[in-house]
Amino acid sequence: MALVGARWGAPRPWLVFCLSPLLLGSATGCERPLQWPVPYRRFDHRPPADPYCQARYTFCPTGSSIPVMNDKDVFEVYRMQAPVWEFKYGDLLGHLRVMHDAVGFKSLLTGKNYTMEWYEMFQLGNCTFPHLRPDRPAPFWCNQGAACFYEGIDDAHWKENGTLDPVATITGAMFNQMAKWVDYDNRTGIYYETWMVKESPEEQARVWFEAYECSKFVLRLYQKLVDMGAIFKKIQTNYTTLTVFSGEPICLGNETSIFGPQGNKTLAVAIRDFYSLFTPNHSVKEFLINFWRIFNEMILKRQFYLFYNLEYWFLPVKFPFVKIAYEEIPLPSSKASRLNPPPQRTLANTTLL
């Protein structure tokens, strides 16, 4: 959370004292050389979901495998965007520009429409913060994201408060190539990462961690289509980013090195205590108490724990702490060589929390 208008000077002596027991355990479990941003880790297969993890809303309820299309078919590609949780809250989050992204396809040969999106299997909260189970010493994560493909495009859903714009045309052969790439991407990119972590709000500031969520899937898919020869229209496209601002992160270790029999008990307690702030609240009183505790941890103590690539990181957060921004990221061109084009950051549509 961020306090708008606050000014902070040099770190207080008590802040250093608060951090010192945590740094004692920072060397174990993270012995590889650091690289910024930390590369998102891919895996050779997707593990089965733990039965403990139950989604309130079924993931991809009408989904199907991607069919093989006629190579000579032609498909219109659509950029689709709508407010997060529109089915429950309408356009409420749309006013904050918190948007969900997807891709649509229309076959000119058959007239059929298709939707493809990548999102959390167990809802956003479970992908962002863990469960604290009494029977397990370590935080328990219900975090997987995956691609969902299904026939049809809900025009009303995407048009009413969002976007449904044609952006490119591809052949059936390109569609089939794309389907193979989606299968690979879906098997190897497993975990949803809510936060981008940056050094400061400046455009060229160092990025410590990249997010891995719905918009990043769409951008990767667009770039893959360009690599196959697709040509995209030149229109402005914006995407939602949730950013935490931090000094250089400190890798603390993995689950075994922190919570195992030979782990750092002081650090383990500190991490569990931090994540306890984000458990669901059952009363107004609990909400207000936790809100103050979050303010105390992030604003006064300036600390945040991030779980990324199955490792825990300490973030020495700093002003403005957290930002929700609706940033312009151009559609890819045939000359682009990066999977994620550099964002052109806008000052408008920015919310500090």
Side-chain angles (χ1 to χ4, degrees):
M1 309 295 286
L3 183 62
V4 179
R7 294 292 182 268
W8 303 90
R12 277 61 167 174
W14 54 263
L15 178 62
V16 177
F17 176 77
C18 289
L19 297 183
S20 58
L22 309 185
L23 301 184
L24 294 176
S26 63
T28 58
C30 306
E31 297 176 353
R32 75 217 175 303
L34 288 179
Q35 178 182 343
W36 307 118
V38 174
Y40 178 84
R41 180 179 173 184
R42 290 191 172 270
F43 297 81
D44 58 6
H45 69 283
R46 178 178 290 274
D50 192 290
Y52 179 86
C53 300
Q54 297 294 322
R56 177 173 297 182
Y57 305 103
T58 303
F59 174 79
C60 200
T62 61
S64 66
S65 58
I66 304 176
V68 177
M69 302 297 185
N70 187 322
D71 283 352
K72 296 182 180 180
D73 199 351
V74 175
F75 287 84
E76 291 181 338
V77 181
Y78 289 86
R79 173 180 182 252
M80 306 197 303
Q81 192 174 75
V84 169
W85 297 325
E86 186 187 36
F87 67 93
K88 187 174 183 179
Y89 299 113
D91 192 32
L92 177 63
L93 292 175
H95 292 298
L96 296 175
R97 310 307 292 172
V98 180
M99 309 296 281
H100 171 66
D101 297 274
V103 183
F105 303 92
K106 180 179 179 180
S107 165
L108 301 188
L109 184 64
T110 66
K112 291 184 177 181
N113 297 326
Y114 303 92
T115 297
M116 184 180 295
E117 50 190 335
W118 194 97
Y119 65 101
E120 326 88 66
M121 292 178 64
F122 307 108
Q123 275 76 67
L124 181 60
N126 285 322
C127 291
T128 308
F129 300 109
H131 293 256
L132 299 178
R133 296 172 58 175
D135 59 328
R136 298 195 179 210
F140 184 84
W141 291 86
C142 291
N143 177 9
Q144 284 197 44
C148 174
F149 179 90
Y150 52 94
E151 184 174 338
I153 294 177
D154 185 349
D155 288 18
H157 168 69
W158 301 105
K159 282 183 177 179
E160 184 175 357
N161 297 308
T163 300
L164 180 59
D165 292 334
V167 291
T169 302
I170 61 174
T171 65
M174 293 164 69
F175 183 98
N176 292 331
Q177 282 184 267
M178 177 203 69
K180 294 177 181 179
W181 172 84
V182 170
D183 177 66
Y184 160 79
D185 189 77
N186 200 45
R187 282 186 291 103
T188 60
I190 300 167
Y191 298 111
Y192 189 102
E193 299 294 348
T194 304
W195 308 104
M196 171 188 280
V197 183
K198 289 186 61 180
E199 190 169 20
S200 77
E202 298 297 323
E203 183 175 343
Q204 301 303 321
R206 179 175 292 182
V207 175
W208 307 117
F209 299 94
E210 295 278 9
Y212 195 90
E213 26 76 355
C214 61
S215 69
K216 299 302 186 290
F217 170 78
V218 169
L219 290 168
R220 291 196 305 278
L221 188 145
Y222 286 166
Q223 184 61 53
K224 193 65 181 178
L225 293 179
V226 165
D227 294 342
M228 297 176 192
I231 299 175
F232 279 79
K233 295 182 178 181
K234 294 184 178 180
I235 61 173
Q236 180 173 325
T237 53
N238 289 61
Y239 303 88
T240 301
T241 58
L242 277 69
T243 305
V244 173
F245 297 104
S246 169
E248 183 167 335
I250 300 166
C251 188
L252 301 174
N254 57 30
E255 180 176 313
T256 301
S257 67
I258 297 173
F259 299 95
Q262 306 302 317
N264 185 320
K265 290 183 170 54
T266 301
L267 181 56
V269 170
I271 292 174
R272 284 184 65 95
D273 285 349
F274 175 81
Y275 284 129
S276 71
L277 305 178
F278 301 94
T279 54
N281 300 290
H282 301 289
S283 69
V284 174
K285 180 180 178 181
E286 288 177 330
F287 171 79
L288 293 175
I289 291 173
N290 272 4
F291 183 84
W292 165 248
R293 291 175 63 202
I294 293 170
F295 177 88
N296 184 58
E297 288 290 315
M298 291 194 65
I299 308 303
L300 301 182
K301 295 184 179 179
R302 297 190 178 193
Q303 56 188 27
F304 189 96
Y305 292 96
L306 178 72
F307 190 59
Y308 197 94
N309 287 348
L310 304 182
E311 293 173 327
Y312 288 92
W313 295 77
F314 177 80
L315 306 182
V317 293
K318 57 185 181 179
F319 185 84
F321 306 105
V322 176
K323 182 182 76 170
I324 301 173
Y326 192 58
E327 300 177 333
E328 180 182 354
I329 302 179
L331 289 168
S333 67
S334 58
K335 296 180 180 179
S337 60
R338 294 176 58 190
L339 292 182
N340 292 316
Q344 298 176 2
R345 307 199 182 276
T346 59
L347 298 178
N349 298 315
T350 296
T351 303
L352 297 177
L353 298 182

